[in-house]
Amino acid sequence: MTPDRIRDAVRQALGKRLLDDRIVERSVGTNTRRAIYDLWLTVPPDALHDAVAELVGRFAPHFTVISGDDLGESISFIYHFTVGWGERFGEVSVNLRTTVEKANLRLPTLTDLIPGAQTSEREKHEFYGLEVLGIPDDRNLFLPEDSTIHPWRKDLEGETERFVHRAVEWEATDE
């Protein structure tokens, strides 16, 4: 599998809704150096579901996790996949990024395409306050059900501070 093939398929499916793409080549191995590839795709929130549907329909990606980055007025969510998972020297890391304004912090669920995405979607709901539209189960996984804080939001650090405690004994000795 090549990153160009994946990018071109998504580009054809989305057209101008593919805002940016970048292929990063890295070299791995000690004796025989091999190239591995990271494909970065950026789409607007309204194209996220279509982009993932294209990946799922054509390439059967392995979903890993959703990561997030608080950018101030918005939050960038990156959906991490591997295409060609298990193929020796044939895997491509696909990172699909979308950025959502905090004033409209909503994204569609991907559970109709990838049921395993639900855990990561629930985590982003809890820790960033993301409203995941259509998610079958939006209960908290990590925080108490009655929790009203979103600990990974930089703009809410003052509200979160009194709830954050050291949970591991050895951390109390860090200086």
Side-chain angles (χ1 to χ4, degrees):
M1 185 60 56
T2 67
D4 303 84
R5 182 172 167 219
I6 300 165
R7 180 203 53 215
D8 292 347
V10 174
R11 184 182 285 161
Q12 183 178 9
L14 297 183
K16 293 183 182 205
R17 295 185 303 157
L18 178 61
L19 302 176
D20 189 35
D21 63 82
R22 177 171 50 103
I23 297 172
V24 177
E25 180 178 340
R26 296 181 284 131
S27 184
V28 297
T30 53
N31 294 333
T32 306
R33 304 298 283 176
R34 299 247 186 225
I36 60 171
Y37 300 95
D38 299 319
L39 173 60
W40 290 86
L41 304 170
T42 303
V43 299
D46 65 350
L48 174 67
H49 195 273
D50 292 343
V52 174
E54 182 66 20
L55 288 174
V56 168
R58 302 226 5 209
F59 302 105
H62 172 81
F63 172 75
T64 307
V65 72
I66 305 166
S67 61
D69 187 14
D70 188 330
L71 304 173
E73 297 298 316
S74 61
I75 298 176
S76 177
F77 293 101
I78 305 170
Y79 293 71
H80 301 274
F81 301 90
T82 303
V83 171
W85 188 77
E87 291 180 33
R88 186 173 166 86
F89 308 119
E91 295 179 356
V92 175
S93 170
V94 178
N95 306 286
L96 184 60
R97 178 191 325 252
T98 193
T99 301
V100 184
E101 297 298 318
K102 286 182 180 175
N104 188 27
L105 205 51
R106 294 181 184 94
L107 285 174
T109 186
L110 300 181
T111 56
D112 58 317
L113 301 170
I114 304 171
Q118 181 171 276
T119 300
S120 205
E121 290 176 347
R122 285 171 66 181
E123 179 188 53
K124 299 314 163 274
H125 168 72
E126 280 180 75
F127 286 85
Y128 283 109
L130 175 66
E131 181 183 352
V132 183
L133 303 171
I135 191 170
D137 182 357
D138 67 354
R139 291 174 298 151
N140 285 357
L141 288 169
F142 305 103
L143 300 175
E145 268 306 309
D146 61 350
S147 180
T148 59
I149 62 168
H150 303 294
W152 292 345
R153 292 268 302 264
K154 291 178 182 175
D155 57 325
L156 303 176
E157 285 176 344
E159 296 173 29
T160 303
E161 203 170 276
R162 65 188 176 104
F163 294 100
V164 177
H165 306 284
R166 293 193 179 270
V168 180
E169 186 176 312
W170 61 266
E171 286 183 324
T173 61
D174 291 350
E175 296 192 18

